[in-house]
Amino acid sequence: MASQSLETKPGHASSSTVPILLLKTRSTPSDAYEEALKAAQPKNGPPGRRFDPQFVPVLRHRLNDSGIQKTRSLLQANEIGDRPGCKYGGMIFTSQRAVEAFAKVVNGERERSGRRPFLQNTPIYSVGPATTRALSAIQVEPPLQIFGQHTGSGEALAAYILEHYGHWYRDREVRPPLLFLVGEQRRDVIPRVLMNPSLPRGESVIVDEEVVYGTGLMESFSDEFQSVLSDTQHESERWVVVFSPTGCDTMLRGLGLLNESDGRVDLERRDGKTFIATIGPTTRACLVTRFGFEPDVCADSPSPDGILHGITKFTTSRA
């Protein structure tokens, strides 16, 4: 029996809906993927057919007390800002969980010391719209100055930071380091690009990563995924959208695709109506290299529009 964390309880078979199983926790107070999918219409099937987004949480998150305390100490000592002598001249965020950890620090400091300014005139870099919305919701005066939300990927954000950060501190011979709040599992794209030794003198930026949260597989994921698969088994088409390499093996096993002898996908076991989309290249690479499986769609950008575009392009090509 699935727990109440399944945000939308699926009904029985119906040709009027296309289930989209989103392997993530629903964002609050609203979820951009849910809103975009509900507003869109599938390109195949009868008029009036709709996407039916359903959430199956995969990851459990826990705050890293050590990283949070270090971040708190930096704020208390005014070590993050555009003033000469500050340890960090800006911050980078690429996940909502890191923003949640940071918000906890900021809110605690505001309660402790009153409504004193935080990070005024300090560039805050965000990888996309969801992370940007979470940052914008942090109640500080003056509001955080957030940049890069249009980039959509770590590679694009790093390239943007090189140009924007250089202009922000154009009067300094050496750009101050950036503080990057991260989870235990992350890619090294942004630090690698910004600290590339082949960059011209003075253009590289030191990036210090501070781990503020950890992730692990939610114990209920396997049972909840099996439940929603059972409830949608009679639909003529359904999608599984994968947001992280964590849980990919459980997902593939739940779909009956894994060969237990070698841990690779047996393509002959596919049912012809269940399709898999990944939010970006990291998760796609995990499926390809670890399981020998090429997903049906890899979103061009890690966003609702990226997923919708990929699904639409795929279904149109099969029509």
Side-chain angles (χ1 to χ4, degrees):
M1 183 73 177
S3 74
Q4 292 301 313
S5 58
L6 285 177
E7 302 291 344
T8 306
K9 186 65 177 176
H12 296 291
S14 170
S15 61
S16 64
T17 62
V18 178
I20 308 287
L21 313 184
L22 301 166
L23 304 191
K24 67 185 288 288
T25 301
R26 183 182 184 276
S27 299
T28 57
S30 62
D31 190 279
Y33 288 89
E34 181 180 38
E35 293 176 350
L37 289 166
K38 284 186 173 180
Q41 182 174 345
K43 296 300 182 182
N44 59 334
R49 199 175 193 209
R50 294 297 179 196
F51 289 123
D52 178 21
Q54 302 171 33
F55 294 89
V56 190
V58 177
L59 300 176
R60 58 178 176 83
H61 302 277
R62 63 185 184 280
L63 296 180
N64 183 300
D65 292 336
S66 174
I68 287 179
Q69 181 54 49
K70 288 180 182 178
T71 305
R72 180 179 292 113
S73 297
L74 289 168
L75 275 184
Q76 291 174 347
N78 293 317
E79 289 283 13
I80 308 173
D82 68 339
R83 300 172 304 283
C86 283
K87 185 173 183 178
Y88 298 105
M91 300 183 71
I92 304 173
F93 293 88
T94 58
S95 79
Q96 294 180 64
R97 303 304 172 190
V99 175
E100 291 173 8
F102 181 63
K104 178 182 176 68
V105 172
V106 171
N107 292 336
E109 282 305 292
R110 190 174 62 232
E111 293 176 2
R112 184 185 69 87
S113 58
R115 298 186 62 82
R116 69 179 179 83
F118 287 94
L119 306 175
Q120 62 271 34
N121 302 319
T122 304
I124 307 295
Y125 295 104
S126 169
V127 76
T131 305
T132 300
R133 280 194 298 271
L135 281 166
S136 300
I138 298 177
Q139 299 297 311
V140 293
E141 292 293 341
L144 297 177
Q145 297 190 59
I146 307 167
F147 304 95
Q149 55 265 38
H150 63 284
T151 55
S153 70
E155 292 87 346
L157 179 61
Y160 174 81
I161 291 174
L162 278 175
E163 179 179 355
H164 184 273
Y165 200 63
H167 182 73
W168 190 278
Y169 289 107
R170 59 187 179 277
D171 59 337
R172 299 193 192 182
E173 184 176 347
V174 178
R175 305 174 188 180
L178 282 160
L179 178 63
F180 187 8
L181 300 190
V182 298
E184 289 175 344
Q185 301 179 33
R186 73 274 188 186
R187 299 173 68 198
D188 66 346
V189 170
I190 291 177
R192 182 160 39 85
V193 171
L194 295 183
M195 295 192 292
N196 189 338
S198 66
L199 286 170
R201 179 179 175 82
E203 289 190 13
S204 64
V205 184
I206 293 173
V207 179
D208 286 346
E209 296 177 301
E210 189 63 58
V211 176
V212 293
Y213 72 96
T215 57
L217 185 67
M218 189 170 286
E219 294 179 359
S220 61
F221 171 58
S222 180
D223 289 342
E224 291 186 346
F225 188 53
Q226 285 296 331
S227 177
V228 75
L229 287 178
S230 176
D231 285 333
T232 59
Q233 63 181 318
H234 298 298
E235 300 288 1
S236 59
E237 177 188 354
R238 62 183 176 183
W239 284 83
V240 179
V241 181
V242 191
F243 290 78
S244 166
T246 303
C248 279
D249 55 344
T250 304
M251 179 268 295
L252 293 170
R253 188 172 290 107
L255 291 171
L257 300 179
L258 272 192
N259 232 327
E260 294 299 337
S261 59
D262 60 5
R264 308 285 281 182
V265 165
D266 182 351
L267 295 178
E268 293 186 0
R269 298 183 183 182
R270 299 201 69 181
D271 60 13
K273 66 176 186 179
T274 303
F275 306 103
I276 297 176
T278 66
I279 195 63
T282 302
T283 303
R284 173 194 170 273
C286 171
L287 289 171
V288 171
T289 59
R290 184 176 172 188
F291 303 102
F293 177 73
E294 179 68 59
D296 302 292
V297 166
C298 176
D300 292 333
S301 65
S303 66
D305 286 344
I307 287 294
L308 271 172
H309 176 74
I311 290 176
T312 299
K313 183 177 179 180
F314 178 83
T315 54
T316 300
S317 70
R318 298 178 74 249

